[in-house]
């Protein structure tokens, strides 16, 4: 495979496309809502009308507006229809040739669409994730060719460093610095790992990217491997994502057959193999040292650091670990340059961030917005407020490791530093909206129960602390707690933050501490109170 062959594939793909395309969302959520039946019905209608040659019905990934799905997009008009059913097939086919259509249509001028800045999601909902030819026709794998033939590994690292990209898995560590550390670390072999162990309640960012655009992640991993000197990669993906796993497997096979993965990629001396490792769903395996232990066949438990994986990771070798969204940014940064990326976002937080917007919000779904946008713009403009108009009470960011931010602070900028300043974190991108009917003690208790169940048990502060905090919150919720119990809750939270081995235990108190800080009256109201458990 060389660049001319790549261009030829793209040209053939474009030439073979029908005049019209009907794009049906085939992400896991839309499949559960009947999108595959819609696709089958569309194909039957087209066959009966003798229009198969003029229209391609294409299964695509997530189109973003999940709460209004299943969604269908018509090309070349770009119209998007919502809440589609199989009975709408005839109307949609007729809409290819006429302006009027009785199927509800998305308002593409709504802030949900206009306020987004798709980089990671630029192909999502627009290409068939199971056909490598469509990814190539959209410009795929050209940047991999470019770095292999035109740039040195050091130059690639310099580009990523200058871009200001920070890891999108939650910690926000500078990506270029991590790559540089792996590149200079001595070792017989080096590895690249894509962390797709997305376990936060309400989070589906990585799953959607893998289901919608698996080759984008593979290309980013290959560029990273070239930069750091690795020849083996692993994608660690949780077993609860069967569609993502299936599409990744197909993408890897397709890329190998075309010589885009494997040996002598693009007729060069660069070799890179990618394998999938399926996790059993342990939340703690999102922590990089626990993830490494799981890939090695051991129990997924974290270990003390240093040494960090960049110096001693998988089988004691230098290992680069980034999450799905981080790798999905790489090819765009190479293509457009680091200065282009630096112009997006804030001084310290560059680029965009993908969020799963869920909870008591009208427009639930997947969004990609520039860093620096405010919580208010996301909740009120993009999300369009609560479904029934009830005032929003808080937004929880960062999953079980994050905090609850009250409505009074919704003018907070969404970036790493600003969220940390108000007691939360960016996390991997979960964003749960809560209305005035939400009890914040129940929220804290829910997340503590999650952390209690997901604790690996290796260190005492996390193993015992999560259980005791959950018990104390239950006691409080039952109206059996005293003021001293509230003080014990706060002391335990601080103890866990300071003494737990890994990020799970260190951050598990965050939902409790943030709700205590901003909604302390709800805790105090429950001290010695008679609680109606039917409410």
């Amino acid at each position: 495979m060389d660049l001319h062959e790549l261009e030829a594939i793209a040209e053939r793909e474009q030439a073979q496309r029908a005049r019209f395309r009907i794009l049906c969302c085939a992400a896991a959520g839309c499949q559960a809502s009947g999108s595959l039946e819609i696709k089958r019905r569309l194909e039957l209608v087209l066959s009966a009308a003798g229009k198969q040659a003029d229209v391609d019905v294409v299964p695509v990934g997530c189109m973003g507006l999940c709460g209004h799905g299943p969604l269908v997009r018509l090309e070349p008009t770009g119209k998007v229809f919502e809440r589609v059913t199989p009975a709408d097939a005839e109307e949609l086919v007729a809409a290819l040739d006429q302006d009027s259509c009785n199927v509800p249509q998305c308002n593409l001028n709504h802030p949900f669409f206009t306020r987004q800045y798709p980089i990671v999601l630029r192909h999502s909902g627009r290409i068939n994730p199971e056909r490598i030819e469509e990814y190539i026709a959209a410009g795929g794998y050209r940047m991999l060719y470019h770095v292999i033939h035109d740039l040195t590994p050091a130059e690639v690292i310099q580009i990523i460093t200058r871009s200001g990209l920070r890891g999108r898995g939650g910690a926000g560590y500078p990506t270029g610095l991590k790559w540089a550390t792996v590149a200079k670390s001595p070792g017989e072999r080096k590895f690249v790992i894509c962390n797709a162990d997305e376990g936060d309640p309400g989070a589906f960012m990585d799953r959607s990217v893998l289901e919608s655009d698996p080759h984008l992640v593979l290309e980013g991993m290959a560029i990273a491997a070239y930069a750091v000197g690795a020849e083996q990669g692993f994608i660690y993906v949780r077993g609860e994502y069967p569609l993502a796993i299936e599409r990744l497997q197909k993408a890897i096979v397709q890329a190998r057959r075309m010589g885009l993965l494997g040996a002598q990629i693009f007729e060069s001396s660069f070799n890179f193999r990618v394998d999938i490792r399926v996790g059993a769903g342990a939340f703690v395996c999102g922590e990089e040292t626990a993830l490494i232990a799981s890939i090695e066949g051991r129990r997924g438990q974290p270990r003390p650091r240093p040494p960090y994986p960049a110096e001693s990771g998988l089988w004691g070798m230098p290992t680069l670990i980034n999450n799905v969204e981080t790798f999905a940014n790489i090819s765009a940064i190479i293509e457009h340059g680091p200065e282009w990326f630096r112009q997006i976002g804030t001084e310290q937080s560059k680029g965009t961030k993908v969020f799963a917007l869920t909870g008591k919000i009208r427009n639930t779904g997947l969004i990609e917005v520039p860093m620096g946008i405010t919580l208010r713009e996301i909740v009120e403009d993009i999300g369009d407020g609560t479904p029934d108009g009830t005032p929003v009470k808080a937004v929880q960011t960062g999953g079980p490791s994050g905090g609850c931010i009250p409505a009074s602070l919704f003018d907070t900028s969404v970036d790493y530093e600003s969220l940390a300043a108000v007691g939360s974190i960016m996390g991997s991108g979960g964003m749960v909206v809560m209305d005035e009917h939400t009890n914040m003690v129940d929220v804290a208790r829910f997340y503590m129960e999650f952390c209690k169940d997901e604790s690996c048990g290796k260190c005492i502060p996390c193993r015992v602390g999560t259980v005791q905090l959950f018990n104390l919150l239950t006691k409080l919720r039952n109206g059996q707690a005293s003021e001293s119990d509230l003080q014990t809750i706060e002391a335990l939270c601080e103890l866990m933050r300071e003494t737990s081995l890994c990020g799970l235990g260190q951050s598990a108190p965050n939902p409790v501490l943030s709700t205590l800080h901003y909604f302390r009256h709800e805790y105090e109201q429950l001290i010695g109170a008679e609680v109606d458990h039917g409410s």
Side-chain angles (χ1 to χ4, degrees):
M1 173 71 72
D2 60 22
L3 186 59
H4 295 298
E5 292 177 274
L6 203 67
E7 295 290 354
I9 292 170
E11 290 175 6
R12 283 197 302 272
E13 176 63 24
Q14 292 287 0
Q16 291 170 1
R17 287 186 180 177
R19 186 160 62 99
F20 298 106
R21 281 161 63 93
I22 303 179
L23 309 182
C24 300
C25 180
C30 279
Q31 285 192 17
S33 300
S35 64
L36 295 184
E37 180 56 35
I38 294 168
K39 177 179 176 290
R40 285 191 288 268
R41 181 61 185 165
L42 283 165
E43 291 169 339
L44 287 173
V45 170
L46 288 166
S47 177
K51 294 184 176 181
Q52 309 100 304
D54 295 328
V55 185
D56 291 330
V57 182
V58 184
V60 297
C62 182
M63 293 185 182
L65 194 56
C66 305
H68 292 233
L71 303 177
V72 170
R73 183 194 308 273
L74 303 187
E75 290 185 347
T77 65
K79 294 178 180 177
V80 179
F81 298 88
E82 62 184 30
R83 298 187 174 93
V84 177
T85 69
D88 296 324
E90 287 83 357
E91 284 273 355
L92 292 172
V93 170
L96 293 169
D97 298 311
Q98 60 190 35
D99 292 333
S100 61
C101 184
N102 293 323
V103 183
Q105 192 171 332
C106 290
N107 176 13
L108 299 183
N109 293 319
H110 188 279
F112 184 89
F113 298 99
T114 61
R115 296 301 305 277
Q116 295 200 45
Y117 196 126
I119 297 175
V120 171
L121 303 180
R122 62 189 182 277
H123 301 145
S124 295
R126 297 180 180 275
I127 65 172
N128 185 343
E130 298 189 9
R131 295 191 73 248
I132 191 173
E133 294 84 359
E134 292 216 10
Y135 179 70
I136 292 173
Y141 288 109
R142 285 167 181 76
M143 291 306 104
L144 177 59
Y145 179 91
H146 171 54
V147 301
I148 291 174
H149 288 280
D150 302 327
L151 300 175
T152 66
E155 287 173 332
V156 176
I157 293 173
Q158 185 181 39
I159 289 171
I160 300 303
T161 302
R162 282 168 38 210
S163 74
L165 176 67
R166 296 169 65 173
R168 299 300 195 243
Y173 191 81
T175 304
L177 180 57
K178 181 181 282 190
W179 288 24
T181 304
V182 177
K184 70 182 181 182
S185 295
E188 294 179 10
R189 300 181 67 192
K190 296 180 181 181
F191 299 96
V192 169
I193 296 176
C194 176
N195 184 350
D197 192 59
E198 181 179 59
D200 296 7
F204 51 90
M205 303 77 58
D206 291 350
R207 186 196 77 188
S208 295
V209 173
L210 293 175
E211 290 177 356
S212 304
D213 204 1
H215 288 285
L216 184 66
V217 179
L218 292 176
E219 185 174 12
M221 290 180 67
I223 291 171
Y226 173 79
V228 304
E231 293 192 352
Q232 174 69 58
F234 292 99
I235 302 177
Y236 188 88
V237 57
R238 51 197 306 111
E240 292 91 336
Y241 290 173
L243 184 60
I245 294 169
E246 177 187 339
R247 289 181 175 168
L248 273 173
Q249 290 170 335
K250 289 180 179 179
I252 291 170
V253 169
Q254 291 169 353
R256 283 177 180 167
R257 286 175 178 170
M258 286 194 175
L260 303 172
L261 288 178
Q264 298 180 328
I265 297 172
F266 282 122
E267 301 179 357
S268 72
S269 60
F270 173 54
N271 308 316
F272 184 57
R273 174 189 174 93
V274 177
D275 293 302
I276 297 172
R277 291 293 181 266
V278 179
F283 180 66
V284 73
C285 285
E287 196 277 338
E288 56 186 18
T289 61
L291 182 154
I292 286 171
S294 181
I295 291 179
E296 292 176 345
R298 297 181 289 114
R299 184 176 180 181
Q301 289 185 319
R303 62 163 173 78
R305 298 176 300 174
Y308 291 92
E311 298 170 326
S312 178
L314 196 60
W315 292 298
M317 301 297 173
T319 303
L320 173 67
I321 304 179
N322 285 131
N323 86 322
V324 170
E325 187 179 340
T326 308
F327 284 124
N329 271 290
I330 300 303
S331 65
I333 293 173
I334 299 294
E335 179 179 4
H336 299 289
E339 299 309 318
W340 164 80
F341 193 79
R342 288 186 64 84
Q343 291 173 3
I344 309 165
T346 68
E347 183 64 29
Q348 299 297 322
S349 301
K350 305 298 184 182
T352 62
K353 182 72 189 76
V354 178
F355 290 100
L357 187 59
T358 61
K360 300 294 182 68
I361 193 76
R362 184 174 282 111
N363 293 332
T364 59
L366 199 68
I367 63 172
E368 184 174 3
V369 292
M371 294 276 200
I373 192 172
T374 65
L375 287 169
R376 189 177 308 282
E377 290 173 289
I378 292 177
V379 173
E380 297 181 1
D381 297 340
I382 294 175
D384 212 12
T386 59
D388 59 1
T390 302
V392 175
K393 185 176 189 176
V395 167
Q396 202 263 358
T397 68
S401 305
C404 297
I405 304 169
S408 60
L409 295 178
F410 276 9
D411 290 320
T412 298
S413 169
V414 177
D415 60 71
Y416 292 102
E417 289 72 27
S418 298
L419 291 179
V422 296
S424 190
I425 61 172
M426 182 83 69
S428 58
M431 188 173 286
V432 183
V433 180
M434 304 165 192
D435 67 12
E436 287 291 344
H437 301 303
T438 305
N439 183 288
M440 304 311 289
V441 179
D442 285 343
V443 170
R445 182 176 176 274
F446 166 79
Y447 283 111
M448 190 53 61
E449 182 177 23
F450 178 87
C451 292
K452 169 179 70 73
D453 293 340
E454 293 294 337
S455 173
C456 74
K458 185 172 183 177
C459 73
I460 293 174
C462 181
R463 182 178 73 238
V464 178
T466 52
V467 173
Q468 293 303 317
L469 280 173
F470 175 75
N471 290 340
L472 285 166
L473 290 169
T474 301
K475 184 179 179 182
L476 183 71
R477 193 68 184 93
N478 290 338
Q480 300 169 346
S482 64
E483 182 64 36
S484 63
D485 289 319
L486 207 55
Q487 295 170 1
T488 302
I489 288 173
E490 292 179 290
L492 262 177
C493 285
E494 292 299 332
L495 179 68
M496 286 181 61
R497 291 177 73 172
E498 296 297 326
T499 60
S500 293
L501 173 62
C502 81
L504 191 156
Q506 293 164 8
S507 60
N510 285 350
V512 180
L513 290 171
S514 63
T515 51
L516 263 171
H517 181 70
Y518 295 115
F519 304 97
R520 191 178 188 90
H521 62 281
E522 295 194 23
Y523 283 81
E524 293 173 342
Q525 287 172 356
L526 291 172
I527 294 176
E530 293 292 331
V531 179
D532 180 5
H533 293 284
S535 60

